[in-house]
Amino acid sequence: MPATRPACAAVAIAWFQLASIPGAWALDPPSKAPNFGSVANTRHNLTQSFLGTGAGWMDLSRNDYAEVCVYCHTPHGANTRTQAPLWNRTQRDTAYTTYDQLGTSSLTQTVTAPGSNSLTCLSCHDGRTAVDSIINMPGSGHYDSGQQSGQSNGFLDSWADGPGASPFGGHGTLDNSPAALAQFGACQSCHSINGDQHDPSTMAAFDVFYIATDLRNDHPVGVRFPADNPDFRGGATELGAVSFFDTDADGRPDAGEIRMYDTGDGYEVECASCHDPHGVPSSGPGSTFNPTFLRVANSGSALCLSCHMK
Ligand code: HEC
Ligand code: HEC
Ligand code: HEC
Ligand code: HEC
Ligand code: HEC
């Protein structure tokens, strides 16, 4: 990688095209995030400050708000369309193809549309909304309530005046077409989707990251956890809108405990049943986080066996 930032977007594209070896990586190369202690040390730190000077590359394609939490949370003006804590992200009305539409005959439960505890994740991972599309950017006067349900590139571009603003302009100059900015197009100029790895030695691929809107090939979400069914573990503790397997018997749904969420259709499995987006220590405070933000590491299929009696 060149030691300095490209002077303009065109230079960046040319450099990455030169380094391109299509198809060289089908899998995700290891993250440069150290993955312990805090979400700031994970891939969910979208300032990418853990990359040091390398983080400047992303200024071509997303706003650097210079704050870790703000890509997802805000202390004020949060999104009331999503039942998630102080949620700062745009929540579009998106239609998902759900697992039941695969047509297997073995499902016993009804699958409903993904609930809030999946829509949070899908607001980035379905590739329909820019990762920096938030309602309340840092500092006063950077608020747009319309951002709750739709992405305004004009509003996001106004960050050009904010602290940590991109030297290349606002919300991304690499590809300013609405279609590209609304999806992961701007990211794909450097990172790959579908195996076309632009710089195999250094670049993280987005193949695994891009879940899209067809959920038929993903573990069902928005699916009720069956009570009193011998194929499923029993004894979950119910606490308001959450039910959880209280492995340490402290009466609280801890980050490392599998949980189900009731957002109106009973206790259901959602993305956050299995994943905690902040990272979960593998063996006590300060230890390396479980891989892929899992609440329970899946060695020996421990995660699956938390729910399935197989
Ligand atoms: C101009 C090229 C470029 C563009 C465009 C770009 N990135 Fe990056 N990205 C990099 C470079 C270089 C790195 C550092 C090498 C690495 O870690 O893959 C990086 C690293 C990352 C990482 C850390 C990977 C890890 O775990 O180490 C994430 C997450 C990331 N980028 C997300 C994004 C997102 C989201 C977008 C689109 C909004 C984007 N990038 C667009 C160049 C780019
Ligand atoms: C990539 C997105 C993302 C980032 C970045 C993020 N969070 Fe969260 N956070 C979430 C989601 C999603 C939930 C809801 C999880 C669920 O459905 O149970 C949440 C929940 C929470 C909760 C509620 C209780 C809990 O632990 O689940 C707190 C408190 C919280 N976050 C604090 C923070 C703080 C502080 C930061 C920054 C240091 C931060 N988060 C960064 C996505 C994020
Ligand atoms: C603000 C946008 C955003 C939100 C919200 C978000 N993610 Fe991510 N997530 C990312 C980015 C960017 C990456 C890095 C992709 C890469 O490096 O390939 C990532 C990576 C991941 C990874 C791969 C981690 C690894 O080490 O390989 C998992 C798993 C993941 N996210 C799950 C979730 C889940 C589950 C939620 C909801 C609880 C969520 N994400 C919410 C943006 C987001
Ligand atoms: C039943 C548990 C479960 C649910 C529900 C679940 N995941 Fe995962 N997820 C996993 C496991 C286990 C892995 C690790 C797979 C691996 O190592 O190949 C994973 C991996 C991922 C990855 C990284 C892909 C990879 O292969 O490394 C992303 C991104 C992700 N999940 C996002 C989501 C999103 C978004 C949702 C909701 C739509 C979701 N997950 C729901 C268990 C789950
Ligand atoms: C949070 C609890 C939970 C966890 C953890 C979990 N599952 Fe599930 N799983 C469910 C529920 C609930 C269903 C829906 C069952 C039904 O409708 O009969 C389901 C459905 C499935 C199905 C589809 C069955 C069908 O008939 O089509 C498979 C396969 C499956 N899970 C495998 C796994 C694997 C593999 C893992 C670990 C990576 C895992 N599950 C983790 C709760 C869970």
Side-chain angles (χ1 to χ4, degrees):
M1 192 204 298
T4 51
R5 237 179 226 166
C8 67
V11 174
I13 296 168
W15 187 81
F16 279 96
Q17 279 172 349
L18 273 179
S20 162
I21 303 179
W25 284 88
L27 297 172
D28 205 21
S31 174
K32 295 184 176 62
N35 221 33
F36 73 96
S38 158
V39 62
N41 291 332
T42 72
R43 283 178 161 174
H44 277 165
N45 173 357
L46 294 192
T47 72
Q48 278 109 8
S49 50
F50 58 82
L51 294 172
T53 50
W57 282 97
M58 246 71 56
D59 293 351
L60 288 156
S61 56
R62 61 93 180 84
N63 288 333
D64 182 356
Y65 296 125
E67 291 178 17
V68 179
C69 316
V70 78
Y71 290 88
C72 294
H73 302 289
T74 175
H76 305 287
N79 200 337
T80 48
R81 303 178 84 233
T82 314
Q83 289 164 271
L86 296 171
W87 197 241
N88 200 18
R89 298 192 48 75
T90 301
Q91 190 69 68
R92 293 185 140 152
D93 292 323
T94 303
Y96 296 95
T97 308
T98 48
Y99 179 85
D100 54 315
Q101 291 174 258
L102 190 58
T104 68
S105 56
S106 46
L107 268 189
T108 62
Q109 305 298 305
T110 308
V111 180
T112 56
S116 283
N117 306 84
S118 293
L119 292 174
T120 46
C121 316
L122 291 167
S123 76
C124 284
H125 285 276
D126 71 3
R128 291 291 177 272
T129 309
V131 292
D132 57 0
S133 187
I134 59 175
I135 301 159
N136 195 8
M137 303 193 282
S140 58
H142 291 290
Y143 169 80
D144 178 358
S145 63
Q147 280 284 110
Q148 292 204 42
S149 55
Q151 176 182 329
S152 159
N153 287 326
F155 169 69
L156 297 175
D157 282 341
S158 72
W159 185 247
D161 302 326
S166 166
F168 306 106
H171 165 68
T173 51
L174 201 61
D175 180 348
N176 263 317
S177 71
L181 288 176
Q183 306 195 6
F184 283 98
C187 314
Q188 287 177 71
S189 330
C190 297
H191 297 275
S192 74
I193 293 185
N194 298 328
D196 176 15
Q197 185 68 43
H198 294 283
D199 178 13
S201 63
T202 57
M203 293 296 294
F206 278 1
D207 302 62
V208 295
F209 155 57
Y210 184 59
I211 303 270
T213 58
D214 185 347
L215 306 179
R216 284 177 305 176
N217 59 353
D218 301 293
H219 189 283
V221 294
V223 66
R224 179 103 59 118
F225 189 80
D228 301 324
N229 180 328
D231 278 342
F232 287 86
R233 190 168 156 195
T237 303
E238 297 185 2
L239 187 71
V242 177
S243 87
F244 59 103
F245 293 115
D246 193 9
T247 47
D248 65 357
D250 69 352
R252 285 181 303 161
D254 300 310
E257 289 169 348
I258 300 297
R259 78 264 306 265
M260 283 66 71
Y261 298 89
D262 182 359
T263 49
D265 296 309
Y267 293 114
E268 293 185 327
V269 178
E270 304 287 2
C271 308
S273 294
C274 299
H275 295 278
D276 182 321
H278 314 97
V280 178
S282 54
S283 53
S287 60
T288 308
F289 289 146
N290 291 332
T292 49
F293 297 111
L294 289 173
R295 294 191 182 277
V296 172
N298 203 21
S299 42
S301 297
L303 175 83
C304 317
L305 294 170
S306 310
C307 291
H308 292 274
M309 303 291 277
K310 286 286 178 210

